[in-house]
Amino acid sequence: MNAIDQRFLVRRVAVLGSGVMGAQIAAHLTNAGVDTVLFDLPTQPGTQSSNQTPPPSSRAIAERAIAGLRKLSPAPLGLAGLADTIQPADYEHDLALLGECDLIIEAIAERLDWKHDLYRRIAPMVAPHAVLASNTSGLSIGSLAQALPEDLKARFCGVHFFNPPRYMHLAELIPIAQTRADVLDRLEGFLTSTLGKGVVRTKDTPNFIANRIGVFGMVAVMIEAERHGLTMDVVDDLTGARLGRAKSGTYRTADVVGLDTLSHVIRTMDDQLPDDPFHALYAQPALLQALLAAGALGQKSDAGFYRREGKAILRIDSEKALAVAAAARARGTPIDRSEWATAYVPAGAKADETVARILKKKTWSERLQLLRESTNPQARFLWSVMRDSFHYAAIHLGDIAASARELDLAVRWGFGWGEGPFELWQLAGWTQVAQWIAEDIAAGEALVATPLPAWVFAGPVAQRGGVHQTEGSWSPTAVGAGGGFGANPGADLGSFIAAPQLPVMARQLFPAGLVGSDPADPKIAGHTVFEDESVRLWTLDRSGVDDVLILSFKTKMHLINQGLGEGLLRAVEVGESHYRGVVIWSPDEPFSAGADLESSMPAFMKGGPKAVEGDIKKLQDVMLRMRYAQVPVVAAVHGMALGGGCEIALHCAKRVVALESYMGLVEVGVGLIPGAGGLAHGARRAAELQAQAPDAPLFHFLRRHFQAAAMATVSKSALEARELGYLLPTDPIVFHARELLFVAIRQVQAMADAGYRAPRRAKFKVAGREGAATFKASIVNLRDGGFASPHDAHLGFTIAEVMCGGDVDAGTEVDEAWIMALERQAFTALLAHPKTQERIMGLLQTGKPVRN
């Protein structure tokens, strides 16, 4: 691996504006450990100079926004307490703080005049090296820059985060002509590695790429749904997971985004794109206007296209809603809330089974052909919306994106599509689909009569069968080998251009690929050392990283069965013999969802609990073999690491964990206790911490490990996993999941370079009968108060006894094998318990936990 750390050194960031986006951007910055200042207006006029202490109330707006971060769902903070690390500020008294910031992100309301006023005010305070970026969803970056001095224009650009910033992968980066190239490159590196974003550079056009394509797609869906007479619940079922897109579908996604936000984006296109062939479609849909008039803004107002009534989900009935809105207009009064409520009807209708079967066909070519040829209105609807997206993307590619790569990735990362529009088109057969679109245009069935661009039918794209090739993605505006097939005969426009190769991309050993670009498949890449149906042991082919063995899980949900346990043992043995260490990493999520209960049931049914005790002992031995391996074993965790999956991670020398990782010992949910060393880890770790603070009681350190196991607590982020004790303070947290393998390999190499030695096998003190009794008393209170079932209480008692070392005196020294023996005995006994058997069978039959 070459030196690639050309990073933007960001010590402190200022976020200007504490509204929904500004506050959540600040939250994600502080998640990443970035010192963050959140600005907003003072709450009362001030006359003090900037070096005077402002009155306490002057920062109240920013303070309220920071406090509100704790209450939002989904949580913008990886750990609620991080809210306290954000510094509130106001423009009246704290502008001097801007001079200490390396990056300033403006995120105030989408008003050009307001932004200009703010820029003029802050420009003198911006440090000479600092970057200024506007988080606008569609305003012209060039127009925004007009209020800036020339020297600051070179360090100015747009950065469009998607909401919610913690979870949405896309960040659009929009330069102006004066933006320095090195500023963009370093800022992209920061956004990618530090904040975990998928960065797409866009042209400075209204709504940029993702909103331009994605919101048009939503508008097209609404138009086509009306044409084909489909209700929104059916549409959402058709345009969600069945189509390889976000499971929320179209209308539910609009509710989550906010109907006022959707309306704003549509209005921007209507106002700023008068010459667009699709301009007539940018008028606000009548139903959307009615919803806005009724104050039904979506999820934020508890009503939009959908609303919840108790446990029931209702959808808006278009005809009723439009009638209510029309009646209110005729009366000249606002829409009455009680009258509006009558426009909601029960939701839940699903796609026709015939259409569902079409969407399960193996190839997109077959699916699109069947959808187009069908007389089923749902099938015709799906063909129509996909045709519309292909048509729109082809016409606007040259206007909004450097190449088809940026367009497809922006839609994938910003709207949750499995493949971008060009990828789907290419998968379905470029020439055939192009011909179908042309036929629909000629027949007047398309949304507009504008023909597809000439490059679709002639030249390199048509000859090669699509816009994505191994050498790059198609740009109709690039100077290249166009061959004069465009609108201007003889012009040498159009070329496949390669993705930009920034230093930060070297951290992604398997970057996001595109259909047709032949990306490396991590499931088969590199050199295979060993492979069976449960695991693959392999190495990367690249020099400098081929000295670390990689273990990838292959079982469904990476569940732990006998084969996977044997694979773990083999990886340690091979790693010790031939490599500098082992990384446990799989190219797909989750890390591991735990034990494969279903595969162990035949042995249990035949021989009873004792029949599986030997398998439990083998798995415990594997855990200890990993912990005491003579080379470092590092777990690269992303997604769920539950039960036995969490225990695997706990027994590694180090864990490298993606931010969005959810770790927990969840066995009580199936009536069991952790049986592969999870409780032994908690007992040992508590003793280690107590040894560093001998004046503190052991119980103090043991409590969090006990509570996490007894309550089956699952972390909501890697940051919370650290608080729960599943991670050590030295375990790196990685924000970009595609950098996880790189960082894990680097950790193994660094540990090996430092002369890694396995930890010594040592005894540790346990809390004994006294500690267990204290834990049991708290469980009795929960049970008697109705907060825990009798079986939950029994499980809690068992966990307390095991973690405290069994029937021994407080302070007794034991080893891990002692606690593991207690785990094993308790686990085996619980398998025979009727309540546990009810929980296991209930989960296997329904996939849902049983509370008994």
Side-chain angles (χ1 to χ4, degrees):
M1 296 183 189
N2 298 320
I4 58 175
D5 290 328
Q6 280 189 342
R7 296 198 189 178
F8 182 21
L9 183 58
V10 178
R11 304 170 191 83
R12 174 175 265 200
V13 176
V15 179
L16 311 183
S18 64
V20 172
M21 282 302 292
Q24 292 198 59
I25 291 169
H28 195 54
L29 286 161
T30 203
N31 284 338
V34 179
D35 187 13
T36 305
V37 186
L38 182 61
F39 278 81
D40 213 310
L41 296 169
T43 51
Q44 60 186 28
T47 58
Q48 296 163 298
S49 63
S50 60
N51 63 352
Q52 290 178 301
T53 302
S57 62
S58 69
R59 301 187 184 110
I61 295 177
E63 289 169 348
R64 282 197 298 270
I66 293 168
L69 291 171
R70 298 174 182 269
K71 305 172 186 177
L72 292 178
S73 180
L77 293 164
L79 198 61
L82 288 174
D84 297 333
T85 67
I86 303 172
Q87 179 180 351
D90 72 71
Y91 305 121
E92 184 73 25
H93 308 94
D94 301 310
L95 283 184
L97 292 174
L98 295 179
E100 304 171 7
C101 296
D102 305 294
L103 173 63
I104 300 167
I105 300 173
E106 171 270 306
I108 69 170
E110 295 283 84
R111 282 275 301 269
L112 187 65
D113 54 341
W114 290 0
K115 290 177 187 281
H116 277 177
D117 288 344
L118 181 61
Y119 291 177
R120 294 186 186 100
R121 188 172 186 180
I122 68 170
M125 312 303 295
V126 177
H129 71 283
V131 174
L132 173 64
S134 174
N135 178 65
T136 176
S137 61
L139 292 178
S140 166
I141 305 302
S143 297
L144 290 172
Q146 292 174 3
L148 296 173
E150 287 301 315
D151 66 313
L152 190 47
K153 288 179 181 178
R155 294 174 281 123
F156 175 71
C157 63
V159 176
H160 179 209
F161 292 92
F162 272 61
N163 189 24
R166 171 182 164 184
Y167 302 95
M168 294 301 294
H169 189 51
L170 178 64
E172 292 178 312
L173 191 59
I174 313 100
I176 59 174
Q178 297 95 324
T179 310
R180 291 202 323 257
D182 67 298
V183 168
L184 290 172
D185 291 350
R186 289 186 293 122
L187 182 55
E188 180 168 341
F190 172 75
L191 293 169
T192 301
S193 273
T194 303
L195 299 187
K197 295 302 167 190
V199 178
V200 169
R201 298 193 189 187
T202 85
K203 295 184 179 181
D204 188 10
T205 56
N207 293 330
F208 314 125
I209 297 176
N211 275 344
R212 182 76 175 274
I213 300 296
V215 171
F216 166 79
M218 297 175 78
V219 170
V221 163
M222 295 175 187
I223 293 170
E224 298 290 3
E226 186 175 351
R227 282 186 176 184
H228 293 85
L230 304 184
T231 58
M232 57 196 60
D233 45 2
V234 170
V235 168
D236 279 352
D237 190 47
L238 288 168
T239 60
R242 295 183 191 275
L243 211 59
R245 301 180 182 178
K247 64 181 181 181
S248 52
T250 301
Y251 291 97
R252 177 61 186 147
T253 296
D255 274 354
V256 171
V257 169
L259 302 191
D260 51 345
T261 301
L262 175 63
S263 173
H264 171 76
V265 175
I266 296 172
R267 187 179 300 109
T268 298
M269 294 195 289
D270 188 29
D271 292 342
Q272 299 186 26
L273 297 168
D275 299 325
D276 189 329
F278 293 84
H279 180 262
L281 306 177
Y282 300 152
Q284 298 279 324
L287 178 58
L288 179 59
Q289 293 182 53
L291 286 160
L292 295 173
L297 306 182
Q299 184 171 277
K300 68 181 76 174
S301 63
D302 297 322
F305 288 113
Y306 296 94
R307 77 176 178 90
R308 185 183 293 274
E309 190 173 280
K311 294 185 178 180
I313 302 296
L314 307 180
R315 65 167 176 85
I316 199 77
D317 181 285
S318 299
E319 291 186 7
K320 291 182 179 179
L322 293 174
V324 170
R329 285 196 304 272
R331 293 193 304 267
T333 62
I335 294 174
D336 179 79
R337 285 177 177 262
S338 59
E339 190 178 3
W340 181 256
T342 65
Y344 286 89
V345 299
K350 300 290 185 181
D352 288 350
E353 185 55 36
T354 54
V355 179
R357 284 198 297 269
I358 290 175
L359 293 175
K360 291 179 181 178
K361 297 294 182 181
K362 287 187 176 180
T363 68
W364 272 106
S365 176
E366 187 177 6
R367 292 176 207 165
L368 281 191
Q369 181 173 358
L370 290 172
L371 291 173
R372 186 171 188 268
E373 293 175 351
S374 175
T375 58
N376 185 301
Q378 293 183 16
R380 294 291 301 173
F381 160 79
L382 281 176
W383 157 251
S384 297
V385 297
M386 296 183 76
R387 173 204 64 213
D388 297 340
S389 70
F390 300 157
H391 190 188
Y392 190 85
I395 286 176
H396 288 297
L397 172 59
D399 302 333
I400 65 176
S403 76
R405 171 187 179 273
E406 286 75 22
L407 190 148
D408 276 344
L409 289 179
V411 176
R412 277 167 48 177
W413 294 342
F415 280 81
W417 291 25
E419 296 88 13
F422 286 124
E423 289 182 287
L424 287 173
W425 186 347
Q426 191 161 331
L427 280 170
W430 186 269
T431 302
Q432 179 60 79
V433 172
Q435 185 58 43
W436 287 340
I437 297 171
E439 290 172 5
D440 280 11
I441 293 171
E445 296 181 6
L447 291 179
V448 298
T450 306
L452 290 167
W455 58 261
V456 170
F457 296 100
V461 171
Q463 293 163 7
R464 302 283 296 279
V467 295
H468 301 301
Q469 305 297 331
T470 54
E471 67 268 34
S473 297
W474 180 253
S475 170
T477 58
V479 176
F485 55 84
N488 300 313
D492 191 26
L493 288 179
S495 179
F496 294 104
I497 59 175
Q501 295 299 312
L502 298 178
V504 70
M505 294 306 297
R507 296 172 60 85
Q508 298 183 28
L509 300 179
F510 294 97
L514 293 156
V515 168
S517 65
D518 294 331
D521 183 352
K523 293 183 179 181
I524 59 175
H527 169 67
T528 298
V529 176
F530 170 81
E531 187 169 15
D532 63 14
E533 62 184 10
S534 298
V535 300
R536 180 183 180 225
L537 307 185
W538 58 290
T539 63
L540 290 161
D541 288 332
R542 310 175 202 185
S543 176
V545 292
D546 54 359
D547 56 354
V548 175
L549 184 67
I550 302 169
L551 167 61
S552 295
F553 299 156
K554 293 175 56 183
T555 57
K556 182 180 179 181
M557 297 290 288
H558 302 157
L559 293 174
I560 303 167
N561 57 18
Q562 183 175 343
L564 193 145
E566 293 171 353
L568 286 165
L569 184 60
R570 182 187 290 266
V572 173
E573 292 172 346
V574 173
E576 287 179 333
S577 300
H578 302 289
Y579 298 93
R580 306 187 74 196
V582 180
V583 168
I584 303 174
W585 174 84
S586 302
D588 53 339
E589 294 184 52
F591 178 76
S592 172
D596 186 353
L597 292 173
E598 190 170 7
S599 70
S600 64
M601 288 307 291
F604 171 75
M605 298 300 292
K606 184 177 180 179
K610 288 291 183 182
V612 299
E613 186 173 2
D615 291 336
I616 299 169
K617 177 65 164 62
K618 287 180 182 178
L619 186 57
Q620 290 178 337
D621 290 344
V622 169
M623 298 296 178
L624 293 178
R625 185 72 176 87
M626 284 195 302
R627 172 167 165 74
Y628 295 107
Q630 295 307 301
V631 294
V633 180
V634 172
V637 179
H638 185 207
M640 293 185 296
L642 304 179
C646 183
E647 289 171 307
I648 290 173
L650 291 176
H651 284 86
C652 289
K654 189 177 282 286
R655 290 137 295 278
V656 176
V657 187
L659 175 67
E660 299 307 331
S661 295
Y662 315 106
M663 303 180 69
L665 300 172
V666 297
E667 286 82 356
V668 298
V670 288
L672 295 168
I673 66 167
L679 301 184
H681 165 83
R684 174 182 54 76
R685 183 62 184 148
E688 291 171 347
L689 291 171
Q690 195 268 339
Q692 297 171 20
D695 292 336
L698 175 60
F699 185 84
H700 170 77
F701 299 101
L702 190 60
R703 183 189 297 115
R704 71 169 178 174
H705 295 282
F706 166 76
Q707 290 176 339
M711 302 298 291
T713 306
V714 177
S715 71
K716 298 180 180 65
S717 71
L719 296 167
E720 190 174 357
R722 182 181 283 163
E723 292 291 304
L724 292 171
Y726 298 134
L727 302 181
L728 298 181
T730 53
D731 290 333
I733 294 175
V734 177
F735 273 59
H736 200 300
R738 290 188 181 274
E739 296 184 356
L740 196 62
L741 180 58
F742 169 89
V743 176
I745 289 174
R746 279 287 182 90
Q747 290 291 318
V748 166
Q749 293 173 327
M751 293 166 78
D753 288 342
Y756 175 80
R757 300 294 299 173
R760 294 181 183 273
R761 295 176 183 262
K763 291 187 175 182
F764 51 87
K765 294 179 180 180
V766 292
R769 290 181 294 270
E770 180 181 336
T774 304
F775 283 132
K776 289 179 179 180
S778 64
I779 296 169
V780 168
N781 290 334
L782 290 174
R783 183 195 63 194
D784 294 349
F787 298 103
S789 72
H791 195 48
D792 285 331
H794 176 61
L795 294 166
F797 294 161
T798 305
I799 291 172
E801 291 167 358
V802 172
M803 290 192 89
C804 292
D807 189 14
V808 298
D809 294 333
T812 299
E813 292 190 343
V814 303
D815 58 14
E816 288 161 311
W818 175 272
I819 303 292
M820 284 185 168
L822 295 175
E823 281 184 358
R824 191 165 63 249
Q825 294 163 12
F827 190 97
T828 305
L830 284 167
L831 279 172
H833 198 293
K835 293 291 186 181
T836 290
Q837 292 176 6
E838 284 180 16
R839 291 192 181 190
I840 293 173
M841 296 308 298
L843 181 69
L844 293 177
Q845 291 170 2
T846 68
K848 298 179 180 179
V850 174
R851 307 310 301 175
N852 57 5

